[in-house]
Amino acid sequence: MSEHGYDEGHTVAGWAGCAVGVAAALALGAGICGWTPGFWAGLVLTPAALVTTWLLHLAGWGKAPGPRPAAEHPLTVRDTAAATGHPNCLACRSAGRSGRAAGVGRASSIPSARSGTASGPSGALVGEFEDQDRQGRAR
């Protein structure tokens, strides 16, 4: 699957979650057509697809957001960074994994509102309204 030169995220987690999701859709479809157990099976399998994908991602069978090096494209390559979490990854953040090494602070490219240097969408300085509460009253 890595012959095409780009990474669409073909992972064990992705394929397994997709397979469970397809089974859920088929069961729901059968349930809508009149097979009542299929409706209930589809309702159970739908969140199971999400949980399957999430757990396999956390176990290292998924990938971080964005492209991977070509050497990591094959399905048999596990993601060793999954144990600590991927930066900017919703699945890892949901599991409490930050994607940063312990003790490393988060750098912010946004200036502090107290500095008065950042401007909002209207062009006004962000720090200009810091002395007002939510109802617009002065503190």
Side-chain angles (χ1 to χ4, degrees), residues 62-86:
K63 74 175 204 75
R68 298 176 289 181
E72 295 179 11
H73 286 193
L75 283 174
T76 56
V77 177
R78 288 187 75 172
D79 181 15
T80 57
T84 57
H86 303 110

Side-chain angles (χ1 to χ4, degrees), residues 8-66:
E8 292 181 352
H10 299 289
T11 64
V12 172
W15 285 109
C18 184
V20 176
V22 167
L26 290 172
L28 275 170
I32 290 171
C33 290
W35 185 54
T36 306
F39 179 76
W40 297 111
L43 287 180
V44 170
L45 286 173
T46 300
L50 176 69
V51 171
T52 299
T53 305
W54 182 54
L55 291 176
L56 284 171
H57 172 81
L58 295 177
W61 290 108
K63 74 175 204 75

Side-chain angles (χ1 to χ4, degrees), residues 48-133:
L50 176 69
V51 171
T52 299
T53 305
W54 182 54
L55 291 176
L56 284 171
H57 172 81
L58 295 177
W61 290 108
K63 74 175 204 75
R68 298 176 289 181
E72 295 179 11
H73 286 193
L75 283 174
T76 56
V77 177
R78 288 187 75 172
D79 181 15
T80 57
T84 57
H86 303 110
N88 303 321
C89 178
L90 177 63
C92 291
R93 283 196 314 265
S94 298
R97 299 177 182 177
S98 64
R100 292 178 272 144
V104 176
R106 182 176 178 181
S108 176
S109 61
I110 302 171
S112 169
R114 299 249 183 233
S115 69
T117 58
S119 61
S122 65
L125 290 178
V126 174
E128 211 173 292
F129 302 106
E130 65 188 31
D131 293 327
Q132 295 179 358
D133 63 9

